[in-house]
């Protein structure tokens, strides 16, 4: 257990990227054929747990060092009235709309091919809406 925790909390940035994944909404699960994706800036998410449950918003920052993401509408005010972003762990959100680029579509296709190979299904082509 100690070694697992050490590996998790001292993970380099490229590993943290994978660890900081969020589940996909039911529509996106069906579309892509996978359950989760690493969260990226400009993804639209809905918060599933915590005090800000059911809040929808756009990811404005992925803070890998602090294991947190910042969503545009999730803020609090400081004593002097200045707003600040509340950090949210990616496991507490679901991706509602993913920002699609060539690199991300390729990554999704690779992941889906691996998932389908494990399930024994034929490869599915992913349709983009761009």
């Amino acid at each position: 257990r100690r070694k697992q925790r050490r590996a998790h909390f001292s993970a380099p940035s490229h590993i943290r990227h994978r660890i900081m994944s969020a589940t996909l909404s039911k529509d996106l699960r069906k579309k892509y054929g996978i359950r989760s994706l690493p969260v990226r800036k400009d993804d639209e998410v809905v918060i599933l747990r915590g005090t800000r449950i059911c809040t929808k918003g756009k990811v404005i920052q992925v803070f890998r060092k602090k294991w947190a993401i910042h969503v545009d509408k999730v803020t609090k005010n400081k004593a002097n009235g200045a707003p600040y972003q509340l950090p949210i762990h990616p496991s507490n959100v679901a991706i509602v709309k993913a920002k699609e680029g060539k690199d991300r579509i390729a990554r999704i296709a690779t992941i889906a091919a691996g998932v389908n190979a494990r399930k024994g299904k034929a490869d599915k082509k992913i349709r983009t809406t761009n």
Side-chain angles (χ1 to χ4, degrees), residues 76-84:
K76 255 188 168 179
N77 290 331
K78 292 198 272 188
N80 65 0
Y84 69 94

Side-chain angles (χ1 to χ4, degrees), residues 10-20 62-65 67:
S10 64
S13 183
H14 71 284
I15 304 291
R16 286 181 187 225
H17 170 70
R18 226 175 32 229
I19 295 171
M20 292 179 67
V62 178
F63 207 154
R64 290 186 195 167
K65 189 173 184 180
W67 300 97

Side-chain angles (χ1 to χ4, degrees), residues 71-99:
V71 180
D72 63 350
K73 296 172 187 169
V74 183
T75 59
K76 255 188 168 179
N77 290 331
K78 292 198 272 188
N80 65 0
Y84 69 94
Q85 297 291 328
L86 288 177
I88 300 166
H89 196 272
S91 65
N92 296 332
V93 302
I95 299 173
V96 177
K97 187 178 176 191
K99 182 182 180 191

Side-chain angles (χ1 to χ4, degrees), residues 4 6 13 22 33 36 45 55 57-58 61 68 71 87 89 100-101 104 106 109 114:
Q4 291 293 324
R6 185 178 67 201
S13 183
S36 64
V45 296
T55 307
K58 190 178 267 191
Q61 184 183 22
V71 180
H89 196 272
E100 295 178 344
R104 198 158 200 206

Side-chain angles (χ1 to χ4, degrees), residues 10-69:
S10 64
S13 183
H14 71 284
I15 304 291
R16 286 181 187 225
H17 170 70
R18 226 175 32 229
I19 295 171
M20 292 179 67
S21 293
T23 59
L24 294 173
S25 66
K26 289 183 181 177
D27 307 337
L28 292 182
R29 263 187 217 183
K30 196 171 281 188
K31 179 180 175 185
Y32 296 141
I34 55 177
R35 290 180 64 86
S36 64
L37 262 181
V39 179
R40 178 179 173 176
K41 184 180 173 183
D42 293 331
D43 282 349
E44 289 182 26
V45 296
V46 61
I47 299 172
L48 302 176
R49 288 180 213 92
T51 55
R52 304 298 174 118
I53 194 166
C54 296
T55 307
K56 289 183 181 179
K58 190 178 267 191
V59 176
I60 56 172
Q61 184 183 22
V62 178
F63 207 154
R64 290 186 195 167
K65 189 173 184 180
K66 289 193 173 184
W67 300 97
I69 62 171

